Amino acid sequence: MNDPEIRALLFPMLVGGVHISELPTGTTRADVVHITEHFMHGYEVKGDGDTLQRVANQLRCYGEVYDFVTFIVTEKHLARLLPLLPEWVGVQVAGPEGLRVHRAACYNATVAPAPLSKLILLEEVKQFLLARGLAGASTLRGADIARFLRTTNLVPLSALAQHVRERLMARLPERLLMRAERKAERERLPPRRKPKRKAKAKPRKPAARKKASAA
């Protein structure tokens, strides 16, 4: 099974809230993120044609921001994937019959404020801090805010997480509109013609040497 086939099985199971595909998360992109008023659940999809080379980095990035994390893989990857994941990470197996839960995801206790804040725009983070009475936030740069969130006790993680969820959910209609506009633009453009391959010149046969006439 490939990635689109697995996502088609997953989407109907994401009840409530919204789901966003290819959400930038740290140094990678989460394949699908299910966002509701109460939690964010990040999903990573591994089809038959994928590898497990990026699992360590994906797990690190997802673990910093998502309340739940689940890897959805085909049977081909299951045995090699399981030793790479901690017990709190969920695992589902995709097959022709649908998705099978191998291990349910548990609550992730490793979410951190600074990486979480980077899921939304810098101005949206500043608005959140200003609303909590931190007047100097409007002049801070991104690195300053990240440093502040790593060290402060003035910002409850639960309040920041709620703000991030609200902003991402509110932005979904804009994402869908932009996606539809890009699709319409592609459809208006004439199809690209593949360049014709030049026929390879056949090597010339060496001319036969004339036999020297007998003396």
Side-chain angles (χ1 to χ4, degrees):
M1 297 189 72
N2 60 29
D3 187 295
E5 291 171 332
I6 297 174
R7 294 191 195 212
L9 297 174
L10 172 64
F11 291 153
M13 301 176 64
L14 305 181
V15 180
V18 302
H19 62 266
I20 299 176
S21 298
E22 306 300 330
L23 181 63
T25 305
T27 58
T28 186
R29 287 177 179 267
D31 284 334
V32 179
V33 182
H34 183 204
I35 306 172
T36 74
E37 295 179 358
H38 306 292
F39 66 82
M40 290 194 293
H41 193 150
Y43 291 87
E44 178 61 31
V45 175
K46 299 293 185 186
D48 285 329
D50 295 321
T51 71
L52 303 182
Q53 293 178 353
R54 297 186 297 153
V55 166
N57 183 56
Q58 290 165 336
L59 180 61
R60 178 184 62 80
C61 293
Y62 299 171
E64 290 177 334
V65 297
Y66 297 133
D67 304 294
F68 301 93
V69 175
T70 293
F71 278 68
I72 305 179
V73 299
T74 57
E75 194 71 42
K76 167 186 174 180
H77 297 301
L78 182 60
R80 290 183 55 228
L81 175 71
L82 290 176
L84 305 178
L85 303 179
E87 288 295 324
W88 60 268
V89 176
V91 179
Q92 296 186 26
V93 182
E97 70 286 353
L99 296 180
R100 170 174 59 86
V101 177
H102 178 86
R103 183 172 76 199
C106 299
Y107 180 74
N108 171 26
T110 63
V111 174
L116 180 63
S117 70
K118 293 183 180 180
L119 290 179
I120 58 177
L121 301 176
L122 178 59
E123 288 304 316
E124 293 172 326
V125 181
K126 290 182 178 182
Q127 291 169 9
F128 168 78
L129 296 177
L130 290 171
R132 299 193 67 84
L134 301 170
S138 59
T139 61
L140 295 179
R141 297 174 300 174
D144 298 326
I145 289 180
R147 191 178 305 111
F148 171 75
L149 290 175
R150 282 195 297 268
T151 57
T152 185
N153 294 320
L154 300 177
V155 179
L157 178 61
S158 59
L160 176 60
Q162 181 181 358
H163 179 70
V164 170
R165 292 193 300 269
E166 289 173 352
R167 296 315 309 148
L168 290 175
M169 292 176 70
R171 202 177 303 147
L172 181 61
E174 180 183 343
R175 285 176 177 268
L176 294 177
L177 178 61
M178 291 176 62
R179 188 177 301 171
E181 290 175 348
R182 289 196 297 267
K183 182 179 179 181
E185 181 64 25
R186 288 195 300 269
E187 291 175 349
R188 283 195 296 266
L189 295 173
R192 292 182 179 180
R193 294 182 179 179
K194 294 183 179 180
K196 293 182 179 180
R197 293 182 178 179
K198 294 182 179 180
K200 293 183 178 179
K202 294 182 179 179
R204 293 181 179 179
K205 293 182 179 180
R209 294 180 179 178
K210 293 182 181 180
K211 292 182 179 181
S213 56

